[in-house]
Amino acid sequence: MSPSVRLQEMIRVIRGARTQGEERGVIQRECAAIRAQFRQADNGTRSHNLAKLLYVHMLGYPAHFGQMECVRLIASPRYNEKRVGYLGAMMLLDEKQDASLLITNSIKNDLSHSSQYVQSLALCTLGCMGSAEMCRDLAPEIDRLLRASNSYIKKKAALCAVHIVRKVPELGELFTPAARSLLSEKNHGVLHGAVVLITELCERNPDTLEQFRKVVPELVQIMKGLVMSGYSPEHNVAGISDPFLQVRILRLLRILGRNNDTASDAMNDLLAQVATNTDSSKTAGSAVLYETVLTVMDIKSESGLRVLAVNILGRFLLNNDRNIRYISMTSLQKIVQTDHNAVQRHRGTIVDCLKDQDASVKRRALELSLALVSAVNIRSLMKELLLFLSSCPPELRAHTTSGIFNAAERYAPSQRWHIDTILHVLTTAGGDVRDETVPNLIQLITTATELHCYTVHKLYRALITDISVQSLVQVACWCIGEYGDLLLRGECEETEPVQVAEDDVLDALEMVLQSHMSSPATRGFALTATMKLSTRITHNVDRIRSIVSIYGSCIDVELQQRAVEYNALFKKYDHMRAAVLERMPVIDKSSPGHTNGESAGGTMKEMEPTKLTQEVVLPQEPANKVCDLLDLLGGSAEPLQPSPALSTTPLGPVSSTAGGDLLDLLGGLDVTPVPPSVIVYEKNGVTLKLQTDRQTDTGMTVTLTATNSTDGDITSITLQAAVPKSVQLQMKAPSGDVIPAHGLGQVTQTVLLNNPNKVSLKMRVRVCYTSQGSVCQDTVQIDSFPSPAW
Amino acid sequence: MMRFLLLFSRQGKLRLQKWFTPVTEREKKKVIREMTLMVLARPPRSCNFLHWRDLKIVYKRYASLYFCCGLEDQDNELLTLEVLHRYVELLDKYFGNVCELDIIFNFEKAYFILDEFLMGGEILETSKTAVGTAIEEAETLQETMEEYMSKPTY
């Protein structure tokens, strides 16, 4: 047996191997030697062999046969061997291995060793890979070490206790007293460990959290000491005294101050001091400032402090360092809902970050920009977003397009702008849009009756330029089919007129039909459009007839079926053709199911819900004779009796488009029936909507939703309800008591009613709120509910 | 807390791995592979922060080595950059102008230093000098061969 080489020699040999195969050979030989050595009696080289094995393990080769050797070495009295044994245990053993239990006893002995360095090995290993049983066994030992030892051991015991608490949360109570007393230590390492331990205890146990709120003044003192202290060479990092400890204390203060006014007050001054005095030219200072900002935003701080914090984030946005810009945007994203106006001030900088080279920064900037869109800035912001879309990295495109569509739906200043924007997106990135874009766009176009001429001209121009983007082509074909007569008429107020002959139009459609780039769905659109044109053009009807009959023998079954049916329409049912192919009525967005005859492009996948939560308004009149497939209300279009308290205006505090219903066209494909809702109270910008949902024969769930379209937040809103005597009422807890301004949020409250005697149901609702400083209170009587008759 | 700390070279060879939560061997290999791919693909002057699964990844390049660690949601990324820097400083102090070869041939020392600086994914010692002192003192405990053989075995 050749004597095995020393560790460094072996590493050199392995590195010298020129091929993977050579390396494997060397390693196999070495492992065999190591295994043999392990079996032999003690000869002073055990630790070297284990070290070699650990190196081999790091290269990715199996090393499980070293586990028992680790156990043996840990039990050795020699420090060398112990050290490598413990290192091996941390690398090769984890709590899932059985061998890990065997070292529990060694650890226990070593925790009471006379040398602190042996104790520290045991603590380190326990804190790294201790299983739950080991932790339970050794917790009292750790507690003892926390109280009575030198600072070197105390700091290690503290972090070991943190690990124990993570593994076995119940043991947290054991460490609470010791943790408390550790805060009076001077040693930074121990202090740091104590703060981490207290943080962990408070996060897991609300009672402990209550207890530790009392130490806020002490923490504030420690922090002040750090901030005001002079230069300490030991702890100084770029002018900041121990930023690691400062950040940890700030994090603990955040947890203690959350949702608690007294604690938050106690730390206000300190946070202001840190925020103003910390030098943020280097990363260490920025890290402390960052943590300060996070803390300020999370606790109940004064508004002045919050403004200071947002301004710091704004300053970060202008920093040259990309990292700081990135985290600034991450933090702004967290607060954009609650402090919307403050973040709006920095919109310009955020939009500039869209042009940054770095992909992470771009992503953050995109999310933040989408969150900042509002009715006021929609036009300018959309320009920037569209510019971004043309140059954005591919992984962000889908997100960008859906964000743009959502924003356009919510805040479009005019229908023409809306249509233009969607068309722009389709031409730039049509391959990355959601599937329901096509039906949504079609629905939007039908509602914009004045713009039909403009739209069809624009789409025709787009179609003849490029037929590769399927979504665009589908919409274009549909429009040409519907409004082909307007196209051929030539004149149009909104755009320069262009002379389009019937042949040109048919050429375009045929090109789509024959192109390899067109998907089957697209070709279906094109064929139907061609057919529809037969009633809108005058001269080339024969050409249409021949196109249609050709496709009667197409291989694609869908196209073939369509062609055969259209053929029949020409031959046997020619008298009906004009009526069948007539212009379609306006598609009402709230009608579930399909439009008359035309299924939207065959893309019937499950629709992802839009981010808005708007309720449905019952169709005003069944004007489109739509087959309301999921109308489970059985045609009771009568709930809206004239009554002073009720109004049936379409909802949407921010939208001003004529197509105001902001729902998915095919939203009705959801299995759950959409409950109707009415507005029962509208005053001072506060709107209260009532929505009912029949659960059982006598039971009903009523949801009251309050929204706010004023400029200021509505606070302390409460709702009370009263019903006739025989009806049982149960009010659930409201979702909150603050309604953000500008319709950015809402408060909902559910009321469960049980009407066993089936009396005529009436409800009186009292709404109480504070708006712009003044308290308002109103009572509303609801005499009839939009529900099936009881 | 930090979930893991990895050191790897520009060619993707692993030089040090520290896992602060129990992870299976298979999962470790997977994470190492993904980290290596993600970090090595980054263009030179990009941001040092990434998002991966539910973790924040912070990485920094020092000469030919990439230091990469995975953080939880509450952790401060900028501070972690300082943590990585501090570890490099400690290695530098110990080895004297540390380079990748030092870490390759003395990997166990690199681990010992790491274990004096971090524990359980948290910072153990914030003082620059204390870690160095502890390592030096521990080394005095390392026995010579004669002392070795004279000590009784278990």
Side-chain angles (χ1 to χ4, degrees):
Chain A
M1 174 83 56
S2 61
S4 78
V5 299
R6 295 182 53 81
L7 169 64
Q8 299 201 338
E9 189 53 42
M10 180 192 84
I11 295 178
R12 207 164 285 133
V13 171
I14 291 176
R15 281 170 61 78
R18 272 166 305 185
T19 66
Q20 188 77 1
E22 210 180 311
E23 181 182 287
R24 252 194 305 250
V26 170
I27 288 180
Q28 263 176 352
R29 271 198 307 279
E30 282 302 324
C31 285
I34 292 171
R35 254 189 284 232
Q37 293 279 358
F38 283 170
R39 273 182 255 127
Q40 275 180 13
D42 170 42
N43 60 0
T45 59
R46 304 190 89 96
S47 56
H48 292 302
N49 287 322
L50 186 57
K52 276 190 258 177
L53 185 59
L54 293 178
Y55 182 79
V56 162
H57 171 74
M58 189 148 64
L59 290 178
Y61 295 91
H64 43 268
F65 55 88
Q67 287 174 5
M68 284 315 293
E69 192 64 13
C70 295
V71 177
R72 257 177 252 132
L73 282 181
I74 287 174
S76 155
R78 300 167 184 163
Y79 181 69
N80 265 1
E81 296 185 347
K82 263 198 210 290
R83 214 179 189 193
V84 178
Y86 274 118
L87 179 64
M90 285 193 275
M91 284 179 76
L92 299 178
L93 294 174
D94 57 38
E95 54 185 46
K96 298 190 180 59
Q97 317 284 358
D98 299 323
S100 63
L101 284 177
L102 298 173
I103 63 175
T104 313
N105 212 30
S106 298
I107 294 183
K108 192 170 192 161
N109 291 336
D110 284 338
L111 281 176
S112 335
H113 202 276
S114 49
S115 161
Q116 67 176 7
Y117 293 104
V118 174
Q119 281 181 307
S120 102
L121 286 176
L123 283 168
C124 186
T125 309
L126 182 60
C128 175
M129 46 76 73
S131 66
E133 291 99 68
M134 284 164 74
C135 291
R136 258 186 269 261
D137 270 340
L138 299 169
E141 274 299 301
I142 306 298
D143 189 48
R144 186 180 62 79
L145 288 173
L146 267 181
R147 294 166 194 279
S149 51
N150 59 27
S151 33
Y152 180 76
I153 294 297
K154 267 191 191 160
K155 74 184 185 211
K156 298 208 175 198
L159 286 187
C160 198
V162 170
H163 175 86
I164 292 178
V165 170
R166 283 182 184 147
K167 281 275 174 228
V168 189
E170 301 87 59
L171 288 172
E173 285 159 14
L174 173 64
F175 295 117
T176 309
R180 176 75 187 76
S181 57
L182 282 177
L183 274 182
S184 33
E185 295 274 334
K186 290 279 169 273
N187 181 299
H188 281 219
V190 180
L191 259 182
H192 187 279
V195 172
V196 176
L197 179 57
I198 296 174
T199 311
E200 197 66 38
L201 291 171
C202 291
E203 275 176 345
R204 286 176 192 272
N205 189 332
D207 297 319
T208 321
L209 178 60
E210 271 309 312
Q211 257 183 293
F212 275 107
R213 283 223 172 93
K214 303 192 196 87
V215 310
V216 169
E218 213 173 318
L219 290 169
V220 168
Q221 274 307 106
I222 299 174
M223 202 47 201
K224 274 209 172 99
L226 286 172
V227 172
M228 307 295 285
S229 75
Y231 180 82
S232 149
E234 225 188 313
H235 295 117
N236 184 290
V237 179
I240 311 286
S241 182
D242 208 341
F244 306 109
L245 183 55
Q246 288 195 27
V247 166
R248 250 359 251 241
I249 294 181
L250 286 167
R251 203 164 130 182
L252 179 55
L253 287 174
R254 178 153 88 237
I255 295 172
L256 294 175
R258 202 178 278 157
N259 289 331
N260 185 294
D261 287 314
T262 18
S264 304
D265 283 334
M267 50 179 97
N268 246 315
D269 286 336
L270 169 73
L271 293 172
Q273 191 180 7
V274 176
T276 30
N277 288 347
T278 309
D279 170 25
S280 62
S281 49
K282 295 284 172 67
T283 315
S286 303
V288 173
L289 265 184
Y290 174 42
E291 198 73 29
T292 314
V293 166
L294 288 178
T295 303
V296 165
M297 301 315 287
D298 216 6
I299 62 171
K300 299 210 162 203
S301 44
E302 310 170 336
S303 58
L305 196 52
R306 286 183 93 89
V307 169
L308 180 59
V310 178
N311 285 346
I312 291 177
L313 289 179
R315 237 175 43 225
F316 277 178
L317 268 181
L318 300 165
N319 198 305
N320 280 332
D321 187 343
R322 265 210 186 94
N323 294 333
I324 295 185
R325 285 211 295 272
Y326 178 92
I327 53 130
S328 148
M329 284 197 276
T330 320
S331 323
L332 286 171
Q333 184 83 33
K334 289 193 197 137
I335 61 171
V336 73
Q337 295 298 337
T338 45
D339 294 77
H340 191 91
N341 293 334
V343 182
Q344 279 283 4
R345 273 199 284 274
H346 302 286
R347 195 178 73 242
T349 329
I350 294 171
V351 166
D352 280 336
C353 287
L354 280 173
K355 305 184 186 100
D356 195 297
Q357 303 284 3
D358 186 277
S360 314
V361 171
K362 272 200 174 109
R363 180 189 296 270
R364 286 268 158 253
L366 172 66
E367 297 212 18
L368 208 44
S369 305
L370 290 175
L372 285 178
V373 174
S374 75
V376 177
N377 58 33
I378 179 73
R379 281 190 195 264
S380 49
L381 200 46
M382 190 56 80
K383 271 204 210 77
E384 297 287 345
L385 286 172
L386 289 174
L387 198 59
F388 173 69
L389 184 62
S390 46
S391 61
C392 93
E395 63 269 10
L396 288 178
R397 289 183 117 184
H399 190 63
T400 316
T401 54
S402 61
I404 289 177
F405 286 154
N406 281 340
E409 266 188 57
R410 288 175 80 177
Y411 301 111
S414 74
Q415 282 189 312
R416 179 172 160 179
W417 182 93
H418 196 172
I419 291 177
D420 280 342
T421 306
I422 299 188
L423 288 182
H424 190 139
V425 172
L426 286 180
T427 34
T428 331
D432 296 294
V433 298
R434 289 199 309 246
D435 292 324
E436 69 259 29
T437 310
V438 171
N440 280 350
L441 180 55
I442 289 177
Q443 189 271 334
L444 183 63
I445 291 174
T446 55
T447 50
T449 38
E450 331 72 63
L451 293 171
H452 286 166
C453 194
Y454 166 75
T455 316
V456 72
H457 273 268
K458 219 166 162 196
L459 281 169
Y460 174 73
R461 254 185 286 244
L463 185 66
I464 51 178
T465 327
D466 175 21
I467 59 167
S468 60
V469 179
Q470 297 304 298
S471 37
L472 187 58
V473 170
Q474 284 172 9
V475 177
C477 288
W478 189 90
C479 275
I480 292 175
E482 267 301 288
Y483 310 120
D485 48 337
L486 295 174
L487 180 64
L488 294 165
R489 215 185 298 154
E491 80 242 1
C492 179
E493 311 94 49
E494 311 256 354
T495 171
E496 317 96 60
V498 62
Q499 285 299 78
V500 183
E502 292 179 2
D503 270 326
D504 298 329
V505 177
L506 289 175
D507 282 341
L509 287 174
E510 258 198 295
M511 191 167 57
V512 173
L513 271 172
Q514 292 164 356
S515 162
H516 295 297
M517 290 192 280
S518 304
S519 71
T522 312
R523 293 166 87 194
F525 266 96
L527 188 63
T528 309
T530 315
M531 186 59 194
K532 283 199 239 177
L533 282 178
S534 71
T535 50
R536 289 155 174 76
I537 63 176
T538 43
H539 304 302
N540 292 31
V541 184
D542 283 332
R543 185 173 167 187
I544 296 183
R545 233 191 285 259
S546 60
I547 293 177
V548 162
S549 62
I550 290 174
Y551 278 90
S553 45
C554 173
I555 284 187
D556 184 305
V557 176
E558 171 69 25
L559 276 183
Q560 192 190 104
Q561 179 174 357
R562 289 189 190 206
V564 166
E565 288 176 0
Y566 295 156
N567 231 352
L569 204 53
F570 266 124
K571 301 216 162 66
K572 282 208 291 186
Y573 301 99
D574 204 33
H575 53 280
M576 284 174 41
R577 185 161 54 90
V580 170
L581 299 177
E582 185 173 80
R583 180 94 92 229
M584 272 201 241
V586 172
I587 302 172
D588 199 2
K589 214 163 181 183
S590 62
S591 58
H594 314 288
T595 63
N596 258 342
E598 185 79 57
S599 70
T603 53
M604 290 288 130
K605 291 192 229 156
E606 199 57 75
M607 307 301 165
E608 50 179 309
T610 57
K611 294 199 177 76
L612 315 167
T613 50
Q614 314 268 3
E615 290 103 9
V616 183
V617 169
L618 255 196
Q620 295 283 28
E621 71 292 291
N624 22 0
K625 304 187 198 39
V626 165
C627 167
D628 223 0
L629 297 174
L630 298 175
D631 183 7
L632 298 182
L633 302 173
S636 64
E638 281 295 283
L640 319 163
Q641 283 128 19
S643 144
L646 299 177
S647 63
T648 57
T649 52
L651 45 93
V654 282
S655 156
S656 56
T657 62
D661 284 339
L662 305 174
L663 295 169
D664 280 354
L665 174 66
L666 299 171
L669 283 181
D670 275 348
V671 181
T672 51
V674 172
S677 89
V678 293
I679 294 181
V680 297
Y681 169 83
E682 198 164 30
K683 196 171 145 197
N684 298 339
V686 177
T687 312
L688 189 65
K689 282 187 279 292
L690 181 134
Q691 178 180 322
T692 58
D693 195 5
R694 176 108 93 99
Q695 308 282 34
T696 70
D697 208 31
T698 56
M700 183 160 85
T701 308
V702 171
T703 310
L704 295 160
T705 309
T707 49
N708 165 21
S709 63
T710 67
D711 284 293
D713 293 346
I714 303 280
T715 53
S716 323
I717 179 161
T718 50
L719 299 166
Q720 291 163 300
V723 287
K725 279 213 179 64
S726 61
V727 179
Q728 293 147 15
L729 170 111
Q730 187 190 357
M731 288 193 96
K732 297 278 182 200
S735 66
D737 66 348
V738 174
I739 319 178
H742 299 300
L744 285 173
Q746 59 191 28
V747 164
T748 49
Q749 187 159 16
T750 314
V751 181
L752 300 174
L753 297 174
N754 193 14
N755 188 358
N757 299 345
K758 294 219 171 80
V759 303
S760 152
L761 188 67
K762 295 186 206 305
M763 190 157 91
R764 201 173 286 169
V765 175
R766 181 188 296 174
V767 54
C768 223
Y769 55 89
T770 309
S771 163
Q772 285 151 6
S774 51
V775 178
C776 307
Q777 184 178 298
D778 281 300
T779 311
V780 183
Q781 172 109 351
I782 303 165
D783 291 316
S784 59
F785 287 74
S787 70
W790 270 345
Chain B
M1 63 177 268
M2 215 182 277
R3 291 276 181 94
F4 56 81
L5 173 65
L6 303 173
L7 263 70
F8 46 85
S9 70
R10 305 263 311 273
Q11 287 76 38
K13 292 212 121 162
L14 192 67
R15 298 300 177 206
L16 191 144
Q17 53 174 328
K18 187 79 185 175
W19 302 87
F20 296 107
T21 49
V23 182
T24 60
E25 282 297 328
R26 244 182 106 209
E27 184 64 23
K28 279 185 196 171
K29 287 199 161 65
K30 195 149 159 261
V31 173
I32 293 169
R33 196 172 45 240
E34 285 194 34
M35 284 300 114
T36 324
L37 283 173
M38 258 176 30
V39 170
L40 291 176
R42 296 278 282 178
R45 259 162 313 153
S46 22
C47 174
N48 292 93
F49 309 134
L50 292 168
H51 213 84
W52 178 77
R53 293 195 192 167
D54 62 333
L55 296 179
K56 303 196 261 206
I57 307 294
V58 177
Y59 75 93
K60 190 108 200 277
R61 184 171 146 220
Y62 287 92
S64 57
L65 271 183
Y66 282 92
F67 288 65
C68 169
C69 56
L71 302 176
E72 287 179 346
D73 194 51
Q74 290 294 315
D75 295 319
N76 187 324
E77 298 100 308
L78 290 175
L79 195 72
T80 311
L81 280 176
E82 285 299 315
V83 169
L84 294 176
H85 192 75
R86 174 60 69 87
Y87 183 47
V88 172
E89 280 178 345
L90 291 169
L91 289 172
D92 197 49
K93 187 97 189 296
Y94 179 81
F95 286 109
N97 264 333
V98 69
C99 63
E100 192 183 342
L101 283 178
D102 288 322
I103 300 183
I104 295 171
F105 282 96
N106 299 289
F107 70 95
E108 76 276 18
K109 303 265 183 6
Y111 274 104
F112 295 149
I113 296 174
L114 186 63
D115 286 334
E116 285 294 327
F117 176 46
L118 299 175
M119 186 159 113
E122 306 282 355
I123 301 168
L124 178 56
E125 178 56 67
T126 59
S127 153
K128 288 182 216 174
T129 48
V131 177
T133 322
I135 295 286
E136 275 164 29
E137 287 189 18
E139 305 231 306
T140 60
L141 288 184
Q142 302 224 98
E143 302 91 342
T144 63
M145 189 54 109
E146 302 82 58
E147 284 171 348
Y148 233 40
M149 298 317 291
S150 67
K151 270 198 182 154
T153 57
Y154 46 91

